[in-house]
Amino acid sequence: MASSSSSTLLLAASILATLASSAHGIPKVPPGPNITATYGDKWLDAKSTWYGKPTGAGPKDNGGACGYKDVDKEPFSGMTSCGNTPIFRDGRGCGSCFEIKCTKPDACSGDPVLVHITDDNEEPIAAYHFDLSGHAFGSMAKKGKEQDLRSAGEVEIQFRRVKCKYPEGTKVTFHVEKGSSPNYLAILVKYVGGDGDVVAVDVKEKGKDEWVALKESWGAVWRLDTAKPLKGPLTVRYTTDGGTKGESEDVIPEDWKPDTMYESK
Ligand SMILES: *[C@@H]1O[C@H](CO)[C@@H](O)[C@H](O)[C@H]1NC(C)=O
């Protein structure tokens, strides 16, 4: 009896699995070309969904695959999104800015709102897919219709890449990650205006001429392993996707500590 009921169960499970896979037989849409800083400013089509709390900033309102924290606070202020492969670009897309808008359903205002890429999503549902925070998704709605729009769940949108503009007084910020030591430095770079995304990070010890290149670690984190201990203060240089360079002199002080945030002056 036991064996016959378990084989019935197995059969039922395999039928269910077949049904589920054909229900999921929605064709996988291949990702579109990478959205780099040089693609222009053409509006393109995308799908949008949302996650986390209805008025929140994403997963536990606290970052995601880019490694940012406090994404519910200024300057991201919860206007955050996961990008699919050509938008997240293995972490390269972290910090890039997009305008998004929708016209259907009726709850859509049609007005563009600006979102920051802070996380990754890989569902193959569209060439371009923005999985938005509940707050960002609702922001595409007419006033008072935010919840109606969120109820739609998945909405066709248009998007374009734009320059990032942070509120006046926002400084490029370097978070020296936990576990950093004189022989291992990991820095998370955030709030870079303009292109927003960073493609190279170098550091220089005070009084030296030589820049030392960091490697991409994950998300917005860059790392350096060095046999020769690094001595602060360190100047950090970052290069954006479009080739703009910025330098923050002596931003990491001599007595730097891991798990600490340093702002450019
Ligand atoms: C798209 O971006 C990813 C991540 O940076 C990169 O590995 C890949 O080569 C890029 N693809 C193209 C076609 O440039």
Side-chain angles (χ1 to χ4, degrees):
M1 280 313 273
S3 90
S4 119
S5 74
S6 70
S7 67
T8 309
L9 268 177
L10 271 179
L11 181 63
S14 91
I15 289 170
L16 276 175
T18 312
L19 282 175
S21 76
S22 60
H24 282 175
I26 308 159
K28 287 189 178 166
V29 184
N34 284 352
I35 302 291
T36 57
T38 52
Y39 102 99
D41 58 3
K42 207 163 47 138
W43 288 96
L44 300 171
D45 295 326
K47 276 197 200 315
S48 68
T49 49
W50 64 276
Y51 70 129
K53 286 189 231 155
T55 55
K60 300 194 190 92
D61 296 338
N62 206 7
C66 291
Y68 302 137
K69 299 275 196 306
D70 298 326
V71 296
D72 52 331
K73 306 200 177 82
E74 280 217 348
F76 291 148
S77 305
M79 293 298 287
T80 55
S81 182
C82 304
N84 70 335
T85 315
I87 296 168
F88 182 73
R89 293 181 288 131
D90 263 340
R92 283 280 176 101
C94 288
S96 56
C97 295
F98 291 86
E99 279 183 345
I100 56 170
K101 60 181 182 181
C102 67
T103 51
K104 264 192 290 191
D106 258 5
C108 288
S109 75
D111 298 330
V113 297
L114 191 141
V115 294
H116 306 269
I117 299 302
T118 57
D119 204 350
D120 179 27
N121 72 276
E122 302 290 338
E123 292 163 88
I125 64 166
Y128 298 109
H129 175 199
F130 289 78
D131 194 17
L132 297 154
S133 71
H135 175 58
F137 194 89
S139 300
M140 293 189 292
K142 291 174 185 148
K143 271 228 144 53
K145 299 282 184 191
E146 294 82 359
Q147 196 48 41
D148 292 1
L149 183 58
R150 280 191 285 265
S151 305
E154 185 181 305
V155 167
E156 306 284 335
I157 60 167
Q158 287 202 299
F159 75 97
R160 64 175 178 182
R161 186 150 170 195
V162 294
K163 299 283 182 204
C164 300
K165 278 197 206 101
Y166 290 109
E168 197 156 335
T170 309
K171 303 195 171 90
V172 178
T173 300
F174 306 92
H175 186 265
V176 176
E177 299 283 287
K178 239 184 231 164
S180 291
S181 73
N183 299 101
Y184 166 73
L185 180 67
I187 315 177
L188 181 145
V189 185
K190 58 184 178 180
Y191 314 148
V192 175
D195 296 324
D197 49 357
V198 170
V199 299
V201 176
D202 308 89
V203 296
K204 192 167 72 172
E205 292 179 333
K206 194 169 183 73
K208 300 261 173 77
D209 289 330
E210 187 199 356
W211 288 103
V212 184
L214 277 65
K215 292 197 172 78
E216 281 178 286
S217 184
W218 62 278
V221 179
W222 294 76
R223 64 177 287 166
L224 175 67
D225 296 274
T226 167
K228 191 171 143 283
L230 271 178
K231 193 174 161 347
L234 299 171
T235 296
V236 182
R237 182 176 71 185
Y238 49 91
T239 309
T240 71
D241 193 12
T244 308
K245 285 187 197 308
E247 237 178 82
S248 298
E249 203 183 335
D250 299 341
V251 67
I252 299 180
E254 189 173 356
D255 61 349
W256 65 267
K257 291 177 188 58
D259 201 16
T260 306
M261 196 116 82
Y262 298 102
E263 284 185 344
S264 54
K265 282 157 207 138

